[in-house]
Amino acid sequence: MMEQPPPPARDKLLFTPGPLTTSLSVKAAMLRDAGSWHFEFNEIVRGVREKLLEVAGVPAGEYVCVLMQGSGTFGVEATVTSTVPPDGRLLVAVNGAYGERIVRMAEVARVPVTALRFPEDQPADPEAIALVLADDPSITSVAAVHCETTTGVLNPIEAIGEAVSRARRTYIVDAMSSFGAVPIDMRATGIDYLVSSANKCIEGVPGFSFVIARREALLATDGFARSLSLDLLGQLRGFEANGQFRFTPPTHVVLAFAQALKELDAEGGVAGRAARYRANHETLVAGMRGLGFRALVRPEEQSYIITSFLYPEHPRFEFADFYRRLSDKGMIIYPGKLTQVDSFRIGNIGRLFEADIRALLAAIRETLIEMGIREG
């Protein structure tokens, strides 16, 4: 008879932008198996797709929700490679690593692409985007990242959407780190395709992404796909034909996500979750400022999802040591991803509360004392 393993120790808290700390009930939802073609699982998938349209605030019929196996990157790549016409060109507003990733996706798939780059610590400029669209009629689609997780800067997707709508181009928004916690009016913003994933603000676990699309726009992309498995319209047709994924679905992840959606509702939906995350962020920034850290992004351009902090100007500060000491205290933060300045990032999404943020701040203070950077 096999011995049961001992119960795991308490997980470390993840102050990251995803994967993130999840509730025990979300984890528990995965403690069962589901038949990938069974009608009960298909009904859960249908409910998830319908609920995501509700969270997005858009009507079924006019909009559709397509689930795609894989991380959020898979969903963005599916959208880029499935919706830009064969003779089209994609314009990408770039002010961080995730905008650069979209450019690279297009290049690998041989989708003609123009990168309009902005400083990493500043939002994209809608007027500059409008000028490029006016000068280049070959551009058929525009992509922007809402919360650029490289720094935490929040891009003005509404103003960008106005420029895209005036120019009559297709609008793709990577809302990976914002959907579910930052209010987005898809209709008013003119978004044709919004992409996010299970393991972000809805507080599920990694394993699938989803695309909320204007149905008319997606149906017009027949024959555009450059990939079999990432064919967005092909997957929609699969769901509408028999309610199933075309290829093996992430069954346990879907079960966890269905539970996470219930917990989003219980918290008061997007507004309720936004309030908790905003309170976390305000506590974090005030506490870090009190410890001598400076945020990279200006407050008016900073999201409440993740914040970049500059390294302190002290000869004893080494990020690897700082990170390890915090990890030993049960706190996981995020390294920086900037190319110009030394920074690290702290996220405050997931199943985290102000008490957790205060615990992190206490651990950071203790760590600075241990490193000889701050007096006790």
Side-chain angles (χ1 to χ4, degrees):
M1 182 175 177
M2 293 181 61
E3 291 187 9
Q4 292 295 318
R10 183 177 186 269
D11 290 337
K12 296 180 180 181
L13 292 174
L14 303 180
F15 296 90
T16 65
L20 34 72
T21 294
T22 55
S23 70
L24 181 60
S25 47
V26 164
K27 289 187 260 289
M30 294 185 286
L31 297 176
R32 54 181 286 245
D33 298 316
S36 61
W37 284 36
H38 188 53
F39 67 86
E40 290 177 347
F41 179 72
N42 291 344
E43 183 63 18
I44 293 171
V45 171
R46 183 193 63 78
V48 164
R49 293 177 61 224
E50 289 181 355
K51 185 62 181 178
L52 283 170
L53 293 178
E54 182 183 321
V55 173
V58 294
E62 184 180 346
Y63 291 82
V64 293
C65 178
V66 184
L67 310 185
M68 297 292 297
Q69 299 95 323
S71 69
T73 297
F74 284 55
V76 176
E77 187 158 357
T79 305
V80 167
T81 59
S82 296
T83 68
V84 178
D87 58 351
R89 174 174 285 273
L90 177 68
L91 172 66
V92 185
V94 179
N95 60 340
Y98 297 93
E100 294 288 2
R101 185 178 294 178
I102 297 174
V103 173
R104 186 59 183 147
M105 289 172 188
E107 290 173 342
V108 169
R110 295 179 174 82
V111 173
V113 61
T114 297
L116 181 58
R117 292 183 170 87
F118 303 93
E120 292 175 315
D121 61 342
Q122 298 175 26
D125 181 359
E127 293 183 8
I129 293 169
L131 288 174
V132 173
L133 292 177
D135 289 343
D136 191 347
S138 72
I139 294 171
T140 55
S141 311
V142 178
V145 178
H146 189 196
C147 177
E148 179 44 90
T149 319
T150 304
T151 58
V153 70
L154 203 63
N155 282 313
I157 57 171
E158 298 84 0
I160 295 171
E162 289 178 12
V164 175
S165 295
R166 285 197 306 269
R168 298 180 181 275
R169 315 296 168 90
T170 298
Y171 191 22
I172 301 167
V173 172
D174 174 342
M176 210 63 58
S177 294
S178 59
F179 182 79
V182 180
I184 301 171
D185 189 330
M186 280 192 68
R187 266 180 158 174
T189 305
I191 299 171
D192 295 291
Y193 303 96
L194 181 147
V195 192
S196 191
S197 72
N199 59 290
K200 297 287 186 174
C201 294
I202 295 179
E203 300 185 2
V205 300
F208 73 85
S209 54
F210 53 88
V211 182
I212 299 172
R214 209 165 47 79
R215 182 180 178 84
E216 183 181 0
L218 184 53
L219 292 179
T221 65
D222 195 9
F224 289 7
R226 282 90 167 165
S227 166
L228 173 64
S229 61
L230 297 180
D231 181 352
L232 201 59
L233 180 57
Q235 182 58 82
L236 174 66
R237 286 173 170 164
F239 283 134
E240 295 190 338
N242 55 27
Q244 298 171 4
F245 285 82
R246 293 178 302 152
F247 308 111
T248 304
T251 51
H252 295 82
V253 177
V254 172
L255 297 177
F257 192 74
Q259 174 62 29
L261 284 169
K262 293 176 184 177
E263 294 177 13
L264 177 68
D265 264 352
E267 191 168 5
V270 174
R273 189 141 296 174
R276 173 160 60 89
Y277 287 175
R278 190 180 292 110
N280 287 350
H281 170 73
E282 290 170 356
T283 300
L284 173 69
V285 172
M288 290 294 282
R289 189 183 300 122
L291 291 171
F293 289 93
R294 289 192 300 121
L296 174 74
V297 177
R298 294 187 301 180
E300 61 270 24
E301 295 161 354
Q302 171 72 57
S303 71
Y304 46 80
I305 303 299
I306 189 168
T307 308
S308 289
F309 293 98
L310 299 173
Y311 283 8
E313 295 178 358
H314 194 287
R316 290 181 180 165
F317 183 84
E318 293 183 0
F319 179 74
D321 185 29
F322 181 68
Y323 178 93
R324 181 185 58 77
R325 289 173 184 270
L326 287 176
S327 174
D328 290 345
K329 296 175 178 65
M331 314 283 179
I332 303 295
I333 62 171
Y334 223 47
K337 207 162 188 170
L338 292 170
T339 57
Q340 303 297 322
V341 296
D342 290 327
S343 64
F344 61 91
R345 294 172 289 172
I346 299 178
N348 41 249
I349 66 175
R351 206 67 183 164
L352 298 173
F353 299 85
E354 284 187 72
D356 298 310
I357 302 297
R358 296 188 190 283
L360 171 66
L361 292 168
I364 290 174
R365 183 180 186 280
E366 183 180 345
T367 296
L368 294 176
I369 293 171
E370 291 171 356
M371 294 174 71
I373 296 171
R374 183 184 178 91
E375 293 183 1

